């Protein structure tokens, strides 16, 4: 008996030690955050070991979570849910059943997962799209684009662009009774990145006559030029997206060659000839003072020019939407931008908000100072956070008021 209790104590001690991570004072529901951090960390360790022993690619192991959370397309009394494809790209459609003469609104939604994992069919995304369809009486097109490492840039971008282009067509919108003046694009994390890139690309496509009314960018990644912004430094080990994992995602999106990721880690991947782009991501001028947090700005260390010749994608505005010039940002749709305080990508969002405003784009920036990256995923038991519902409700209200 005593031995059993001792074992139990030891095990809970070990588990507690494993799960415990220091979290900022103002973060709520710390136990749940630690539990979800532990889940993601365990998966990361498994992925690392599986790759070390040559069993599986790191990202294939992370993909387990996506597979575990897969849902079938399930219609309910209000919404028809259909898996189909637009332009040969799989999409999950949510179509309100309510009969009405008025045309509906629509949201093109792009899920997150670092261009490597995630799916429109995952429970948290399925629920988000379902709720959006229900609350806005809107058609939702949730895109299952191709993922790395099997497919790399520009496959992800090509897929979401193809779907957006297919859908933003009067005949197609007519078929779904959607008002061409009321279509949004939205996405979180890598999906926010793809949304921002697509919204920019659409401005320059004369074949697309229907314009987006709004874009909603939820903790998006927007640049891979300076990976030493204050948010990358301050939140390098925050759940669920460490600096290490974010760089791994950038690396896999662009190339299997891990020397890119290593150079990115030391911020030594941009050659000196390209240094004139630093001004587009200069956090010293683009961030509010309270976020600079005693960090001192220095330009990234320059790399040899051969480096960028190998990976020209890094300087592509489809990879780094923040590299677009002011006059290229002009004309972008009204923007809702969500950032989290304890997120490596926080400063990308702040810098984009500032640059969009300067270019004359209307921006509503919802910054949450007590939460982490990816928080909207935690809307279902057992990893269910109150703040996720709060953020989702505000997002839904903004969509309803502005779309
Ligand atoms: C369907 O819509 C009605 C009215 O808005 C609502 O009360 C009900 O809960 C909805 N059903 C589902 C399954 O969401
Ligand atoms: C970044 O901003 C700082 C402060 O405004 C300035 O001193 C520095 O020259 C800028 N660097 C670049 C590359 O724009």
């Amino acid at each position: 008996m005593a031995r059993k209790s001792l074992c139990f104590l030891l095990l809970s001690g070990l588990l507690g030690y494993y799960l415990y991570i220091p979290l900022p004072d103002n973060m709520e529901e710390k136990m749940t955050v630690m539990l979800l951090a532990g889940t993601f960390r365990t998966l990361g360790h498994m992925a690392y070991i599986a790759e070390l022993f040559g069993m599986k690619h790191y990202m294939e192991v992370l993909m387990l979570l996506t597979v575990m959370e897969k849902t079938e397309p399930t219609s309910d009394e209000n919404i028809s849910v259909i898996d189909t494809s637009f332009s040969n790209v799989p999409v999950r459609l949510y179509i309100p059943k309510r009969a009405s003469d008025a045309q509906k609104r629509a949201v093109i939604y792009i899920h997150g997962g670092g261009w490597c994992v995630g799916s429109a069919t995952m429970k948290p995304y399925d629920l988000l799209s379902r709720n959006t369809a229900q609350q806005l009486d809107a058609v939702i097109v949730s895109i299952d684009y191709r993922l790395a490492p099997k497919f790399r840039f520009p496959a992800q971008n090509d897929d979401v662009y193809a779907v957006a282009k297919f859908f933003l067509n009067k005949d197609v919108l007519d078929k779904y009774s959607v008002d061409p003046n009321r279509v949004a694009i939205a996405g979180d994390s890598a999906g926010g990145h793809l949304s921002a890139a697509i919204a920019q690309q659409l401005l320059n496509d004369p074949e697309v006559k229907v314009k987006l009314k709004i874009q909603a960018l939820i903790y998006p990644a927007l640049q891979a030029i300076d990976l030493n912004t204050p948010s990358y430094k301050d939140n390098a080990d925050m759940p669920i997206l460490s600096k290490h994992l974010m760089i791994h995602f950038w690396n896999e999106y662009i190339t299997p060659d891990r020397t890119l990721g290593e150079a990115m880690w030391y911020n030594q991947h941009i050659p000196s000839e390209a240094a004139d782009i630093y001004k587009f991501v200069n956090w010293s001028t683009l961030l509010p003072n309270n976020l600079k947090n005693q960090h001192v700005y220095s330009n990234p260390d320059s790399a040899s020019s051969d480096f960028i010749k190998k990976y020209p994608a890094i300087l592509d505005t489809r990879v780094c939407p923040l590299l677009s010039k002011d006059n290229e940002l002009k004309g972008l749709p009204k923007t809702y931008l969500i950032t989290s305080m304890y997120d490596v990508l926080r400063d990308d969002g702040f810098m984009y908000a500032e640059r969009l405003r300067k270019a004359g784009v209307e921006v509503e920036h919802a910054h949450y100072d007590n939460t982490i990256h990816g928080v909207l995923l935690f809307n279902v038991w057992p990893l269910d956070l109150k703040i996720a519902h709060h953020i989702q409700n505000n997002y839904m209200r903004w969509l309803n008021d502005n779309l």
Side-chain angles (χ1 to χ4, degrees):
M1 202 56 206
R3 191 175 291 170
K4 258 190 191 161
S5 314
L6 190 66
C7 276
F8 177 74
L9 256 174
L10 264 173
L11 268 178
S12 2
L14 276 175
L15 190 69
Y17 179 76
Y18 183 73
L19 283 182
Y20 178 79
I21 46 163
L23 289 172
D25 288 342
N26 67 343
M27 201 178 278
E28 283 163 30
E29 297 173 274
K30 287 199 178 61
M31 288 298 281
T32 315
V33 175
M34 280 189 209
L35 198 64
L36 65 89
T39 308
F40 279 75
R41 197 151 24 111
T42 306
L43 200 61
H45 290 166
M46 281 164 54
Y48 177 77
I49 291 167
E51 188 166 277
L52 194 68
F53 289 102
M55 297 186 294
K56 265 187 187 313
H57 191 282
Y58 188 93
M59 295 304 170
E60 279 181 283
V61 180
L62 291 202
M63 196 66 191
L64 285 175
L65 203 62
T66 303
V67 174
M68 270 165 51
E69 299 233 41
K70 186 181 160 75
T71 58
E72 294 306 317
T74 313
S75 302
D76 64 29
E77 66 207 82
N78 304 318
I79 314 284
S80 298
V81 182
I82 305 156
D83 283 350
T84 177
S85 63
F86 282 174
S87 238
N88 290 322
V89 177
V91 293
R92 181 166 281 191
L93 295 182
Y94 300 80
I95 302 169
K97 288 180 178 167
R98 197 185 309 164
S100 89
D101 295 335
Q103 286 184 305
K104 291 182 184 357
R105 302 178 278 184
V107 180
I108 300 170
Y109 195 84
I110 311 174
H111 71 79
W115 312 282
C116 296
V117 296
S119 162
T121 65
M122 274 176 87
K123 206 182 269 171
Y125 287 122
D126 185 65
L127 192 60
L128 180 65
S129 293
R130 195 178 286 278
N131 289 345
T132 316
Q134 163 90 15
Q135 288 180 32
L136 271 71
D137 190 28
V139 173
I140 314 298
V141 181
S142 190
I143 310 176
D144 255 337
Y145 52 92
R146 286 171 293 169
L147 299 172
K150 199 161 176 204
F151 301 98
R152 298 180 195 275
F153 174 79
Q156 290 75 351
N157 185 280
D158 286 349
D159 284 0
V160 288
Y161 195 75
V163 171
K165 195 163 173 165
F166 176 88
F167 191 64
L168 291 172
N169 170 295
K170 287 236 164 68
D171 296 334
V172 176
L173 294 175
D174 224 30
K175 182 176 162 197
Y176 295 99
S177 309
V178 170
D179 182 343
N181 297 313
R182 300 178 84 184
V183 183
I185 197 158
D188 61 297
S189 195
H193 163 271
L194 290 165
S195 305
I198 295 303
Q200 290 188 8
Q201 286 164 255
L202 284 171
L203 288 183
N204 302 314
D205 190 336
E207 289 173 21
V208 184
K209 304 279 188 266
V210 176
K211 298 292 166 215
L212 293 170
K213 182 160 190 212
I214 54 176
Q215 61 174 344
L217 313 176
I218 303 171
Y219 31 80
L222 296 162
Q223 57 95 23
I225 304 302
D226 188 351
L227 302 171
N228 249 339
T229 61
S231 61
Y232 266 101
K233 287 184 187 151
D234 291 342
N235 305 309
D237 295 314
M238 277 291 163
I240 54 170
L241 182 64
S242 63
K243 173 176 173 177
H244 196 269
L245 181 57
M246 189 60 224
I247 287 179
H248 201 161
F249 282 144
W250 278 122
N251 194 155
E252 292 295 341
Y253 186 31
I254 296 167
T255 171
D257 177 0
R258 295 276 166 93
T259 58
L260 176 64
E262 281 158 29
M264 282 176 153
W265 180 260
Y266 295 104
N267 229 19
Q268 292 171 341
H269 54 295
I270 305 297
S272 46
E273 312 82 284
D276 59 325
I277 60 173
Y278 292 151
K279 61 178 180 289
F280 295 127
V281 293
N282 188 342
W283 58 260
S284 167
T285 55
L286 294 168
L287 284 190
N289 281 329
N290 66 318
L291 296 183
K292 294 181 193 168
N293 196 14
Q294 291 147 35
H295 295 293
V296 178
Y297 181 82
S298 65
N299 287 333
D301 290 332
S302 47
S304 82
S305 41
D306 292 345
F307 206 69
I308 215 75
K309 281 197 198 106
K310 258 161 93 188
Y311 313 114
I314 301 172
L315 301 181
D316 193 312
T317 53
R318 289 172 299 169
V319 171
C320 298
L322 255 168
L323 292 185
S324 291
K325 300 185 183 68
D326 290 355
N327 64 348
E328 293 166 330
L329 300 178
K330 218 169 259 164
L332 278 171
K334 192 183 213 183
T335 302
Y336 188 66
L337 217 150
I338 297 180
T339 50
S340 294
M341 186 67 171
Y342 304 114
D343 179 358
V344 290
L345 301 178
R346 177 196 70 200
D347 297 347
D348 285 18
F350 269 89
M351 292 194 285
Y352 202 47
E354 180 65 12
R355 294 213 43 223
L356 288 177
R357 284 198 190 103
K358 279 193 182 142
V361 177
E362 209 179 320
V363 179
E364 179 153 337
H365 183 177
H367 174 60
Y368 296 92
D369 69 359
N370 57 353
T371 191
I372 53 171
H373 184 79
V375 59
L376 279 187
L377 288 173
F378 306 114
N379 61 356
V380 277
W381 189 87
L383 300 177
D384 190 357
L385 293 172
K386 286 198 194 80
I387 179 92
H389 296 275
H390 174 67
I391 296 176
Q392 183 178 300
N393 290 342
N394 289 345
Y395 160 70
M396 226 61 103
R397 195 170 318 127
W398 188 86
L399 281 183
N400 193 34
D401 291 346
N402 291 281
L403 182 58

